Amino acid sequence: MIDDFKHTSLIKGYPISFDKYVAAKGISTMSIILVFILEIFLCSLPLIYFRGLGDPNYPVAVFDGNYEIYSITKYIGISVLYMIFIAIFVILLSIILNVLLKNMYLTLFVEMFLFALPLLFPRLVSLIPFNPFNYINFTDLLDGKSL
Protein backbone atom coordinates (compact mmCIF):
# COMPACT_ATOMS: atom_id res chain seq x y z
CA MET A 1 0.00 0.00 0.00
CA ILE A 2 2.79 2.43 0.86
CA ASP A 3 4.69 1.47 -2.30
CA ASP A 4 1.84 2.86 -4.43
CA PHE A 5 2.87 6.37 -3.43
CA LYS A 6 6.32 5.78 -4.96
CA HIS A 7 4.71 5.53 -8.39
CA THR A 8 3.87 9.20 -8.73
CA SER A 9 2.73 8.80 -12.31
CA LEU A 10 -0.32 6.94 -11.03
CA ILE A 11 -1.26 9.54 -8.45
CA LYS A 12 -0.25 12.87 -10.05
CA GLY A 13 -3.45 13.29 -12.01
CA TYR A 14 -5.64 12.19 -9.11
CA PRO A 15 -4.89 14.10 -5.89
CA ILE A 16 -6.02 12.07 -2.90
CA SER A 17 -5.05 12.40 0.73
CA PHE A 18 -3.28 9.59 2.53
CA ASP A 19 -6.10 8.92 5.01
CA LYS A 20 -8.67 8.62 2.20
CA TYR A 21 -6.30 6.29 0.36
CA VAL A 22 -5.85 4.07 3.44
CA ALA A 23 -9.62 4.04 4.08
CA ALA A 24 -10.30 3.10 0.45
CA LYS A 25 -7.72 0.29 0.59
CA GLY A 26 -9.22 -1.02 3.84
CA ILE A 27 -12.79 -0.90 2.53
CA SER A 28 -11.87 -2.59 -0.75
CA THR A 29 -9.94 -5.35 1.03
CA MET A 30 -12.79 -5.93 3.47
CA SER A 31 -15.31 -6.07 0.64
CA ILE A 32 -13.21 -8.71 -1.14
CA ILE A 33 -13.06 -10.77 2.06
CA LEU A 34 -16.83 -10.44 2.56
CA VAL A 35 -17.41 -11.59 -1.02
CA PHE A 36 -15.26 -14.67 -0.40
CA ILE A 37 -17.12 -15.48 2.84
CA LEU A 38 -20.46 -15.00 1.10
CA GLU A 39 -19.31 -17.21 -1.78
CA ILE A 40 -18.33 -20.03 0.59
CA PHE A 41 -21.64 -19.70 2.40
CA LEU A 42 -23.74 -19.64 -0.78
CA CYS A 43 -21.88 -22.56 -2.34
CA SER A 44 -22.24 -24.75 0.76
CA LEU A 45 -25.96 -24.16 1.41
CA PRO A 46 -27.21 -26.03 -1.68
CA LEU A 47 -25.06 -29.02 -0.73
CA ILE A 48 -26.73 -29.16 2.68
CA TYR A 49 -30.33 -28.60 1.65
CA PHE A 50 -30.65 -29.97 -1.87
CA ARG A 51 -28.11 -32.79 -1.98
CA GLY A 52 -28.65 -33.99 1.59
CA LEU A 53 -24.93 -33.92 2.40
CA GLY A 54 -25.44 -32.56 5.89
CA ASP A 55 -27.98 -32.10 8.62
CA PRO A 56 -28.37 -28.38 9.46
CA ASN A 57 -29.83 -29.28 12.86
CA TYR A 58 -26.88 -31.49 13.89
CA PRO A 59 -25.71 -30.46 17.38
CA VAL A 60 -22.24 -29.02 17.95
CA ALA A 61 -20.78 -28.77 21.45
CA VAL A 62 -19.31 -25.34 22.25
CA PHE A 63 -17.51 -24.47 25.46
CA ASP A 64 -17.84 -20.87 26.64
CA GLY A 65 -17.39 -21.48 30.35
CA ASN A 66 -20.30 -23.92 30.21
CA TYR A 67 -20.94 -26.48 27.54
CA GLU A 68 -23.55 -25.27 25.07
CA ILE A 69 -25.18 -27.16 22.22
CA TYR A 70 -25.50 -25.20 18.95
CA SER A 71 -27.08 -26.27 15.70
CA ILE A 72 -24.86 -26.31 12.61
CA THR A 73 -26.57 -23.21 11.24
CA LYS A 74 -25.92 -21.27 14.45
CA TYR A 75 -22.32 -22.53 14.54
CA ILE A 76 -21.77 -21.45 10.92
CA GLY A 77 -23.32 -18.06 11.67
CA ILE A 78 -21.02 -17.54 14.66
CA SER A 79 -18.04 -18.73 12.61
CA VAL A 80 -18.79 -16.33 9.75
CA LEU A 81 -19.20 -13.43 12.19
CA TYR A 82 -15.93 -14.39 13.87
CA MET A 83 -14.16 -14.60 10.49
CA ILE A 84 -15.37 -11.08 9.72
CA PHE A 85 -13.93 -9.84 13.03
CA ILE A 86 -10.63 -11.61 12.31
CA ALA A 87 -10.56 -10.05 8.83
CA ILE A 88 -11.12 -6.56 10.27
CA PHE A 89 -8.36 -7.16 12.81
CA VAL A 90 -5.89 -8.40 10.19
CA ILE A 91 -6.67 -5.52 7.79
CA LEU A 92 -6.20 -2.93 10.55
CA LEU A 93 -3.00 -4.63 11.71
CA SER A 94 -1.57 -4.68 8.19
CA ILE A 95 -2.46 -1.01 7.65
CA ILE A 96 -0.78 -0.05 10.93
CA LEU A 97 2.32 -2.15 10.18
CA ASN A 98 2.51 -0.80 6.62
CA VAL A 99 2.49 2.75 7.95
CA LEU A 100 5.05 2.00 10.68
CA LEU A 101 7.43 -0.31 8.82
CA LYS A 102 6.97 0.95 5.22
CA ASN A 103 8.09 -2.43 3.87
CA MET A 104 5.67 -5.08 2.61
CA TYR A 105 7.98 -8.04 3.27
CA LEU A 106 8.86 -6.88 6.77
CA THR A 107 5.13 -6.41 7.46
CA LEU A 108 4.38 -9.97 6.30
CA PHE A 109 7.24 -11.34 8.42
CA VAL A 110 6.08 -9.47 11.54
CA GLU A 111 2.45 -10.58 11.01
CA MET A 112 3.48 -14.23 10.57
CA PHE A 113 5.67 -14.01 13.69
CA LEU A 114 2.82 -12.51 15.72
CA PHE A 115 0.45 -15.20 14.44
CA ALA A 116 2.93 -18.01 15.28
CA LEU A 117 3.88 -16.53 18.67
CA PRO A 118 1.15 -18.34 20.68
CA LEU A 119 2.01 -21.62 18.94
CA LEU A 120 5.77 -21.28 19.49
CA PHE A 121 5.70 -19.91 23.05
CA PRO A 122 2.37 -20.89 24.66
CA ARG A 123 3.53 -20.40 28.26
CA LEU A 124 5.03 -16.98 27.51
CA VAL A 125 1.92 -15.82 25.68
CA SER A 126 -0.33 -17.07 28.51
CA LEU A 127 1.19 -14.29 30.63
CA ILE A 128 -0.50 -11.82 28.26
CA PRO A 129 -4.18 -12.78 28.60
CA PHE A 130 -5.54 -10.24 26.11
CA ASN A 131 -3.13 -11.08 23.30
CA PRO A 132 -5.40 -10.99 20.22
CA PHE A 133 -3.41 -13.73 18.52
CA ASN A 134 -4.74 -16.22 21.09
CA TYR A 135 -8.14 -15.81 19.47
CA ILE A 136 -7.32 -16.15 15.78
CA ASN A 137 -8.18 -19.87 15.64
CA PHE A 138 -11.93 -19.79 16.26
CA THR A 139 -12.37 -23.60 16.37
CA ASP A 140 -9.98 -23.80 19.34
CA LEU A 141 -11.79 -20.86 20.91
CA LEU A 142 -15.22 -22.48 20.56
CA ASP A 143 -13.83 -25.79 21.88
CA GLY A 144 -12.67 -23.97 25.01
CA LYS A 145 -8.94 -24.49 24.46
CA SER A 146 -8.14 -20.78 24.58
CA LEU A 147 -10.10 -20.26 27.78
Side-chain angles (χ1 to χ4, degrees):
M1 182 173 67
I2 301 298
D3 291 335
D4 291 347
F5 278 102
K6 293 179 183 174
H7 303 287
T8 57
S9 63
L10 296 174
I11 300 177
K12 271 187 181 175
Y14 188 69
I16 186 170
S17 64
F18 183 73
D19 55 345
K20 288 181 182 177
Y21 177 75
V22 169
K25 274 285 209 195
I27 290 170
S28 64
T29 306
M30 190 61 198
S31 63
I32 291 170
I33 290 171
L34 288 175
V35 165
F36 282 137
I37 291 173
L38 183 66
E39 180 182 355
I40 290 171
F41 190 64
L42 290 178
C43 290
S44 64
L45 279 181
L47 294 175
I48 292 173
Y49 288 108
F50 299 125
R51 300 278 314 254
L53 294 177
D55 181 10
N57 296 319
Y58 187 80
V60 177
V62 174
F63 182 75
D64 61 353
N66 297 323
Y67 281 102
E68 300 276 333
I69 302 297
Y70 292 167
S71 67
I72 287 283
T73 52
K74 184 175 181 181
Y75 184 81
I76 290 173
I78 290 172
S79 299
V80 166
L81 185 67
Y82 200 74
M83 282 190 281
I84 290 171
F85 284 135
I86 290 173
I88 291 170
F89 170 73
V90 170
I91 289 170
L92 290 176
L93 179 68
S94 69
I95 288 172
I96 290 168
L97 288 176
N98 273 331
V99 170
L100 292 178
L101 302 176
K102 295 181 176 47
N103 186 337
M104 180 184 74
Y105 298 109
L106 187 59
T107 298
L108 286 174
F109 179 72
V110 168
E111 283 182 348
M112 286 193 311
F113 177 73
L114 290 174
F115 178 74
L117 194 64
L119 301 173
L120 296 174
F121 307 106
R123 296 206 187 271
L124 179 66
V125 173
S126 67
L127 298 174
I128 308 167
F130 296 111
N131 180 7
F133 297 96
N134 286 331
Y135 307 105
I136 294 293
N137 190 349
F138 65 89
T139 54
D140 283 350
L141 184 73
L142 292 177
D143 286 343
K145 294 177 185 172
S146 296
L147 297 176

